[in-house]
Amino acid sequence: GMGLSEKILQDLVAALKAKDELRLSTLRMVKSAIQYRSVEAMHALADAEVQKVLGTLIKQRLDSAEQFAAGGRPELADKERREIVIIEEYLPKALSQSEVEATVQAAIAESGAASPADMGKAMKAAMARFQAAQQRVDGKLVSETVKRLLSGGK
């Protein structure tokens, strides 16, 4: 199938034809970030690497949106948030709390982790499962869930 980079390029061309200003400027920015990272890495980026770049771009925009909102510039904060929505279209959907929990429970069972002392072992097993399934998760949520389940919390 088509790689993520190709899809982004294709959508950029479509946005250009549709005269969709926000999507066009957002995808141009995404494209340069991917190219920059690709030059740094000295190879074309695999989808997983492109997703990492997209995650970083989203984080930057969340930070900017917060700063703009705090600085009394709601229209600029809003623009950052609309860019995030566009960038997120290229990422797998983030998992729900219960989906994260189910995977963590399976990972704990599989790794033989039995107490909070086995936190590292369980975390490693859980993250490996999410990566294998190409699922996007919040690392903090995973570690909190691991900690809670290993401490006997439900």
Side-chain angles (χ1 to χ4, degrees):
M2 196 188 334
L4 210 43
S5 294
E6 289 86 15
K7 171 137 182 50
I8 290 167
L9 271 181
Q10 198 181 45
D11 291 354
L12 193 156
V13 172
L16 183 64
K17 287 180 182 156
K19 298 190 171 42
D20 183 339
E21 288 304 320
L22 182 72
R23 183 172 291 270
L24 182 60
S25 65
T26 304
L27 293 181
R28 278 197 171 131
M29 177 272 303
V30 166
K31 182 180 163 239
S32 351
I34 292 171
Q35 276 175 330
Y36 180 80
R37 182 69 198 101
S38 177
V39 168
E40 252 183 355
M42 297 195 295
H43 62 80
L45 302 188
D47 283 359
E49 296 171 294
V50 172
Q51 287 172 353
K52 247 197 176 121
V53 171
L54 298 177
T56 304
L57 294 175
I58 287 174
K59 238 180 130 117
Q60 289 167 351
R61 270 149 198 77
L62 282 171
D63 291 343
S64 303
E66 269 174 37
Q67 284 165 6
F68 283 137
R73 304 294 303 274
E75 72 291 348
L76 290 177
D78 191 50
K79 181 174 187 283
E80 299 287 329
R81 291 195 196 100
R82 290 208 308 269
E83 288 183 357
I84 290 170
V85 170
I86 293 171
I87 300 167
E88 278 183 336
E89 291 173 20
Y90 299 97
L91 286 170
K93 288 275 165 278
L95 296 177
S96 70
Q97 172 92 44
S98 59
E99 289 171 311
V100 168
E101 211 152 298
T103 298
V104 168
Q105 271 169 332
I108 288 174
E110 173 196 46
S111 66
S115 74
D118 301 321
M119 175 93 189
K121 196 158 79 169
M123 261 312 276
K124 222 173 116 181
M127 293 313 283
R129 276 176 171 250
F130 290 120
Q131 264 153 2
Q134 293 193 320
Q135 292 167 320
R136 193 156 61 99
V137 287
D138 173 10
K140 209 174 86 187
L141 174 64
V142 176
S143 71
E144 282 164 5
T145 307
V146 168
K147 196 180 288 169
R148 192 178 77 242
L149 294 175
L150 284 179
S151 321
K154 283 290 160 262

